[in-house]
Amino acid sequence: MDEKLLEALLLQNFLVQTKNEKIKLLEKLKGEINFISNDLNAVQSSIDSQLPKPTSLPAQVPEPGEIDSTSRKRVHLDVELVQIESEVGDKHSQYISPVFQRAQKSYNSRIHRHIKDLQDNYFSWRYKGKRWLKPANVDETGGAISGMEEFSSTLVNCSKYSSFNTLATVKYVDSYFNYALSIVSSIEFDKDDEYFATAGVTKRIKIFNYETVVSDFGGISSRFISGKSRNVSENESLSDKHHSRLRIPRYPEREIPCESKISGGDDAKVKLWSTNQKNSVGTIESKANICSVKYHPCNGEQLIFGSADHHLHYYDLRNTKSPLYIFKGHKKAVSYVKFLNSDEIVSASTDCSLRLWSLKESLNSPSNQAISSLRTYSGHVNEKNFVGLSVNSDGKYISCGSESNQVYAYYSQLSKPIATHKFGASYDSITVSTF
């Protein structure tokens, strides 16, 4: 075969495949644009129904003679964008207060920081099972946009906060030179959020009244109830000859019997306890240190624990021989695990990341098969210490510490932090020097 003919045939095959792929991509983009346009029309109708109708609309469309036939489509798109901006900004500006407009601008700037994440959320939410969901429509009576409630709520929730406000400062040690003793290993609120307890290398558990601490803020609060203990790690209190260190979670819901407790330790065992008995009543054997363990918030017969083997293990207490599911994805030890709700779980690791997992996703997987995470949160620094993990009451916001001496807040639907707060100068606990 002639070499030039072979080259031409290979080139033809390459170009045909490339063209077909781009045609498929173009069709996909056309479908996305069409669906976005339908949703946008519903949103515009909602805005129009909630604000007074203007007396006139500024002319934004150029005369037909001004549009060159070779670029008609592009100019049309530009005109459409101008009209949208005009209708939202100019058309109703006389009816919207300056304060509201400034707030909207601030919200928009925060949304812009997470635009790629939000676009991915929008398409994954609107396009399910290889088909588009029903386009949004407007409830004419109240201007509500049915079919978009979930995503519009996400936009508001991810953009309403941008910083932390300091409510109070707790004086944990009496002297600057005792900084080495000021390390707080754990902090936790009680179930009614009236008190919080701190524990660390001072060999004391300190219990503070939240309202007192906040009301005292003018000076630095140091009022607490103290009890002596050994060096305390996360929620330690129970002891057993098999455990070298215990981590005992607070019960998230009343469905869990009040006499039931669980703990995990450096002996690679999860132990089940009853307040009516001195010794543990059951044991789950693992192959690596247990760093954190939590009951399911609505099912006291199921639990999950994070381990030094980099995985999360989900068990049913009616069969503790093997886990129901194993969640894999972290590259280092899983230091914390929390339930956001009855389905979603968030974990922290010393690989500088948090990960989001779904029990619903695991239901479609065979038992013992590794489950992948839905989302990875990154931005904070966490390579060797346990820096904490907390979720708010409705499971929408996640916070954690950072070895950069900061606290980070994440919105559950976004992979990047929405707010950070830096504390005072960082200290070397050995030399007591700042850096």
Side-chain angles (χ1 to χ4, degrees):
M1 180 181 294
D2 185 82
E3 185 175 343
K4 290 187 177 181
L5 176 59
L6 177 60
E7 290 178 359
L9 290 172
L10 292 176
L11 182 58
Q12 179 192 45
N13 181 65
F14 167 78
L15 294 174
V16 168
Q17 289 188 42
T18 302
K19 180 180 178 181
N20 289 339
E21 288 179 6
K22 295 302 180 182
I23 289 174
K24 290 179 182 179
L25 180 60
L26 179 60
E27 292 301 318
K28 182 175 181 290
L29 289 174
K30 286 180 178 179
E32 290 177 353
I33 292 173
N34 182 61
F35 203 84
I36 293 171
S37 297
N38 290 335
D39 282 349
L40 185 58
N41 289 336
V43 173
Q44 189 63 56
S45 296
S46 174
I47 294 173
D48 291 342
S49 68
Q50 296 178 68
L51 293 174
K53 296 186 182 299
T55 56
S56 62
L57 179 65
Q60 297 289 340
V61 183
E63 295 296 326
E66 298 176 4
I67 303 176
D68 181 72
S69 59
T70 59
S71 58
R72 182 178 298 272
K73 184 173 293 187
R74 179 172 180 176
V75 174
H76 172 70
L77 290 175
D78 291 340
V79 170
E80 183 181 5
L81 292 174
V82 171
Q83 283 185 314
I84 292 171
E85 184 178 356
S86 173
E87 289 173 0
V88 176
D90 300 331
K91 176 180 171 182
H92 296 301
S93 60
Q94 59 182 313
Y95 305 110
I96 301 176
S97 70
V99 173
F100 186 94
Q101 292 184 49
R102 285 195 297 271
Q104 182 191 6
K105 184 177 180 180
S106 179
Y107 273 52
N108 285 337
S109 66
R110 295 169 196 165
I111 287 174
H112 182 71
R113 295 178 206 150
H114 304 279
I115 191 67
K116 183 64 172 65
D117 243 351
L118 290 168
Q119 287 172 346
D120 290 342
N121 283 340
Y122 171 81
F123 287 117
S124 64
W125 170 64
R126 296 301 267 160
Y127 189 76
K128 293 183 178 179
K130 296 184 178 180
R131 65 181 183 85
W132 289 101
L133 300 181
K134 184 179 179 181
N137 57 79
V138 181
D139 177 3
E140 299 295 341
T141 58
I145 310 169
S146 62
M148 291 286 286
E149 298 92 340
E150 182 180 341
F151 187 72
S152 59
S153 175
T154 293
L155 291 179
V156 172
N157 289 328
C158 78
S159 58
K160 65 165 63 172
Y161 304 116
S162 62
S163 62
F164 290 90
N165 291 325
T166 302
L167 296 180
T169 301
V170 176
K171 186 178 180 181
Y172 194 69
V173 291
D174 297 328
S175 170
Y176 169 85
F177 297 101
N178 287 332
Y179 177 77
L181 298 178
S182 69
I183 298 173
V184 180
S185 304
S186 179
I187 183 169
E188 188 76 59
F189 274 92
D190 74 314
K191 65 182 181 65
D192 298 317
D193 292 333
E194 295 178 357
Y195 299 89
F196 64 92
T198 60
V201 299
T202 59
K203 300 183 180 180
R204 290 178 180 269
I205 297 174
K206 298 183 178 183
I207 301 175
F208 298 83
N209 181 292
Y210 174 78
E211 290 296 335
T212 301
V213 169
V214 173
S215 63
D216 278 355
F217 188 52
I220 299 178
S221 176
S222 60
R223 288 202 237 170
F224 61 88
I225 303 170
S226 177
K228 288 186 177 181
S229 178
R230 59 192 174 85
N231 283 13
V232 182
S233 185
E234 182 191 351
N235 299 324
E236 297 183 41
S237 62
L238 294 180
S239 64
D240 182 277
K241 63 181 180 180
H242 298 289
H243 271 2
S244 60
R245 182 168 58 179
L246 298 172
R247 298 177 181 88
I248 303 164
R250 181 179 66 170
Y251 306 116
E253 297 290 347
R254 293 182 179 178
E255 285 79 355
I256 298 169
C258 61
E259 70 276 3
S260 298
K261 296 180 182 292
I262 50 175
S263 65
D266 290 340
D267 57 358
K269 294 176 182 177
V270 172
K271 285 191 171 289
L272 313 177
W273 306 84
S274 171
T275 54
N276 301 323
Q277 298 185 43
K278 180 179 180 180
N279 297 319
S280 59
V281 296
T283 301
I284 298 175
E285 301 277 354
S286 184
K287 296 181 180 180
N289 296 11
I290 309 299
C291 302
S292 180
V293 56
K294 291 291 179 183
Y295 271 119
H296 188 283
C298 302
N299 188 342
E301 293 178 332
Q302 296 183 350
L303 61 82
I304 190 169
F305 64 81
S307 172
D309 67 358
H310 310 176
H311 308 326
L312 288 81
H313 303 260
Y314 192 86
Y315 275 83
D316 190 308
L317 297 181
R318 291 165 291 190
N319 179 16
T320 59
K321 292 183 179 180
S322 61
L324 285 177
Y325 312 110
I326 299 176
F327 300 86
K328 294 185 178 182
H330 282 297
K331 298 177 182 178
K332 289 187 179 181
V334 179
S335 49
Y336 298 95
V337 57
K338 300 271 188 180
F339 280 91
L340 295 182
N341 47 56
S342 61
D343 169 52
E344 294 178 316
I345 303 160
V346 64
S347 59
S349 169
T350 51
D351 62 4
C352 295
S353 76
L354 310 179
R355 286 181 181 262
L356 180 69
W357 316 83
S358 171
L359 286 177
K360 288 181 181 178
E361 293 291 328
S362 63
L363 293 176
N364 300 322
S365 302
S367 181
N368 291 319
Q369 180 174 318
I371 312 299
S372 300
S373 60
L374 299 179
R375 182 172 290 106
T376 299
Y377 307 96
S378 61
H380 61 286
V381 180
N382 183 201
E383 296 180 343
K384 59 181 180 178
N385 300 312
F386 284 20
V387 296
L389 177 68
S390 182
V391 300
N392 75 322
S393 58
D394 61 11
K396 292 179 180 178
Y397 299 95
I398 306 164
S399 63
C400 68
S402 173
E403 289 162 11
S404 59
N405 207 33
Q406 294 172 285
V407 60
Y408 280 70
Y410 295 89
Y411 181 62
S412 60
Q413 300 299 314
L414 302 177
S415 59
K416 297 299 180 183
I418 59 171
T420 63
H421 176 77
K422 189 169 182 63
F423 294 96
S426 299
Y427 296 91
D428 184 320
S429 60
I430 298 177
T431 63
V432 198
S433 60
T434 61
F435 59 90

